[in-house]
Amino acid sequence: MVVTSATPRATLTVDPAFRVGAVDPRVFGSFAEHMGRCIYTGIYEPDHPSADDRGYRRDVLELVRELGPTVVRYPGGNFVSGYRWEDGIGPLTERPRRLDLAWRAIEPNEFGVDEFMAWCALARAEPMMAVNLGTRGVAEAAELLEYCNHPEGTRLSDLRRTHGAKEPYDVRLWCLGNELDGPWQIGHKTAYEYGRIAAETARAMRRVDPRVELVACGSSNPTMPTFASWEATVLEECYDVVDHVSLHTYVDPSHRSVGDYLASAEVLGRAIDAVVATADHVGARLKTRKRLGVSVDEWNVWYQSRFGGEHTLDWTERRHLIEDVYDVTDAVVVGSLLITLLRHADRVNIACQAQLVNVIAPILTEPGGRAWRQTIFHPFAQAAATAGGVVLRVEPEVATYEAEPVGEVPLLHATAVHDDATSSLTLLAVNRRTEGPLELDVDLRAFPGHRVAEATVLTHDELRTCNTADRPSEVVPRALRQVELTEGRLHAVLPPVSWTVVRITPSPTSPEIR
Ligand code: AHR
């Protein structure tokens, strides 16, 4: 990549003394909803050639393990607000077919709680369950928790044992409903109505199992007219009985310039700041030292304006629904969203990319056929694999540009994660510049005797390039050639519109590891 005197330069300093917070591994979560083909012909397809004896697609499972989600949220999403969890347990032949009002689909109930728990164990992911506070309430939530977590000796815990799970599932993470601020939600509520039912459900659930971690529904999008006031009213009612408040954020690339789109993570960052400020305001009013975490339990790129809405759907099973195909820029934006989540490591302790398979997902499948990695698979997999440890505060000095709707944003978006145990450092960086490369100059004098162990970049000359079943590896991370670390300074050249990961480790000759 040709660098000239006109090439902008970003400088930053990384020092282990300046800590934002430890990365909670649960920020690398995902989401599996009964929607479209996420479950059926996604993770579960008994007739598929790769299916195991429980009907799980082995090809998908392998890709999920490679992707590395630490938690998977289930069963919705909007779906959960009309869901009867009891329909999805017991002998398959006795399970009812039902109307799913959220997505106007037929739900066969072949896959339910027990199938999900067994699949999570195979996927090496922690389950995160949502309860239905749309059409159901306190009793059904407490009963589902009893089914999952009570050891034995009651009707529901013994029923679980009859269904093959002798040991409790011990599910810790529970969402108290889904997006109940949205008029599209079955059982939509006012903030006060929701705050009350969330509080009473939380109290009952804590009686069943005091070890649960509970997430109250925040806003379904920072653009909601009730954003922030919803959180304030809800938390006034349930602050003391919940642990986290949720935030959902989807970014839509349609009808925007590439530069504006590349600044999308700024929208997420400001929304997280606003939710934290609102929660802390309520905490201050309640005169409590308790601080809530933020669970960004739905986030992603979603070409939402291409979706006609639920009303355009008819009663179908396994419908191809919002199966967005992602290009290079989408992958770079996903990388940038991950950087924002990490930069908020002091308060964001759970995050779920929505969704896992087929539905706005990093993995696509053909019914009965192939499964492959979308472009957005790679930044997630790389971050989940390398960004463990403590996030260090980095503030790049670099030129900015004007983007809608956020205003001035820096050309470089970056974070650094330090693993104290191995003294290794991971730099994650996005070059938002569309016109050309960006020089990166990092002061690493706080890491003497370190070397570049690996440096990769995801980009492409043609930003519209996607991965397909026939060409699944068009867009993958490749070695970053222009990178060197000498005398405590890292110098790299980042191609336009790119996602870069640099791993820096103590060199074998370093006194630290001799
Ligand atoms: O992930 C798709 C949908 O987006 C979810 O069902 C809902 O919670 C959100 O609006």
Side-chain angles (χ1 to χ4, degrees), residues 15 49 87 111 147 202 207 231 246 255 279 310 332 351 364 372 379 401 407 419 429 444 446 452 478 513:
D15 191 310
D87 291 344
F111 191 98
Y147 181 84
R207 293 257 178 109
E231 283 80 354
S246 74
H255 318 302
E310 303 80 36
V332 174
L364 282 182
W372 64 100
Y401 70 101
D419 182 348
L444 289 175
V452 174
R478 301 186 194 279
I513 60 160

Side-chain angles (χ1 to χ4, degrees), residues 214-218 231 235 243-247 275 279 292-296:
L214 301 176
V215 184
C217 282
E231 283 80 354
L235 293 178
D243 304 285
H244 313 275
V245 57
S246 74
L247 167 70
V275 172
L292 300 183
V294 180
S295 173
V296 187

Side-chain angles (χ1 to χ4, degrees), residues 137-466:
V138 180
E140 294 87 351
E143 284 167 9
L144 173 57
L145 178 58
E146 179 185 333
Y147 181 84
C148 289
N149 284 14
H150 195 73
E152 61 183 315
T154 64
R155 185 177 170 278
L156 289 171
S157 55
D158 289 343
L159 192 59
R160 181 200 69 237
R161 290 168 59 83
T162 313
H163 296 155
K166 298 283 180 229
E167 296 302 321
Y169 293 130
D170 199 19
V171 180
R172 295 293 172 91
L173 282 175
W174 293 82
C175 302
L176 299 167
N178 178 72
E179 291 190 355
L180 286 144
D181 62 325
W184 59 85
Q185 200 69 211
I186 309 294
H188 166 55
K189 294 182 172 34
T190 66
Y192 179 70
E193 287 167 345
Y194 171 68
R196 289 290 305 124
I197 196 170
E200 295 311 322
T201 306
R203 288 192 183 100
M205 290 178 76
R206 289 197 187 284
R207 293 257 178 109
V208 177
D209 183 350
R211 297 167 310 160
V212 290
E213 254 180 80
L214 301 176
V215 184
C217 282
S219 294
S220 19
N221 201 296
T223 59
M224 294 296 287
T226 50
F227 179 64
S229 69
W230 167 273
E231 283 80 354
T233 305
V234 166
L235 293 178
E236 288 280 347
E237 300 306 316
C238 65
Y239 194 98
D240 57 334
V241 285
V242 301
D243 304 285
H244 313 275
V245 57
S246 74
L247 167 70
H248 293 179
T249 301
Y250 291 101
V251 301
D252 189 345
S254 314
H255 318 302
R256 310 170 69 186
S257 71
V258 177
D260 289 353
Y261 176 39
L262 286 165
S264 296
E266 195 60 29
V267 173
L268 174 62
R270 290 181 197 185
I272 294 169
D273 294 341
V275 172
V276 167
T278 306
D280 288 355
H281 168 79
V282 177
R285 278 171 52 83
L286 298 176
K287 301 192 170 38
T288 171
R289 286 163 61 183
K290 176 178 175 183
R291 288 288 170 265
L292 300 183
V294 180
S295 173
V296 187
D297 45 42
E298 287 186 34
W299 68 267
N300 206 354
V301 169
W302 176 2
Y303 286 75
Q304 215 156 355
S305 47
R306 291 181 188 164
F307 174 50
E310 303 80 36
H311 304 292
T312 61
L313 308 173
D314 54 4
W315 302 109
T316 321
E317 255 178 85
R318 296 153 204 219
R319 171 195 290 118
H320 288 253
L321 187 60
I322 61 168
E323 299 193 4
D324 286 353
V325 175
Y326 294 112
D327 66 16
V328 181
T329 313
D330 298 325
V332 174
V333 169
V334 162
S336 190
L337 293 167
L338 285 161
I339 287 172
T340 289
L341 294 172
L342 290 167
R343 286 176 65 94
H344 288 81
D346 53 338
R347 295 303 285 266
V348 174
N349 19 40
I350 303 160
C352 303
Q353 189 181 36
Q355 298 188 8
L356 183 57
V357 187
N358 289 327
V359 177
I360 45 171
I363 298 168
L364 282 182
T365 71
E366 295 168 330
R370 298 167 286 184
W372 64 100
R373 302 166 191 82
Q374 293 234 58
T375 60
I376 64 166
F377 181 101
H378 299 290
F380 187 104
Q382 287 188 296
T386 62
V390 173
V391 175
L392 304 180
R393 189 167 299 285
V394 296
E395 297 304 340
E397 280 185 40
V398 64
T400 59
Y401 70 101
E402 189 69 21
E404 284 295 331
V406 286
E408 297 253 302
V409 288
L411 288 174
L412 179 80
H413 191 209
T415 191
V417 185
H418 182 226
D419 182 348
D420 288 331
T422 60
S423 192
S424 61
L425 184 71
T426 302
L427 281 176
L428 306 173
V430 159
N431 177 8
R432 290 178 168 139
R433 190 162 179 249
T434 51
E435 305 85 19
L438 184 65
E439 281 193 88
L440 176 64
D441 187 8
V442 188
D443 182 339
L444 289 175
R445 283 175 295 174
F447 298 90
H450 280 54
R451 62 174 179 147
V452 174
E454 190 183 19
T456 63
V457 64
L458 184 148
T459 190
H460 202 283
D461 292 338
E462 177 42 68
L463 294 178
R464 288 287 163 88
T465 310
C466 303

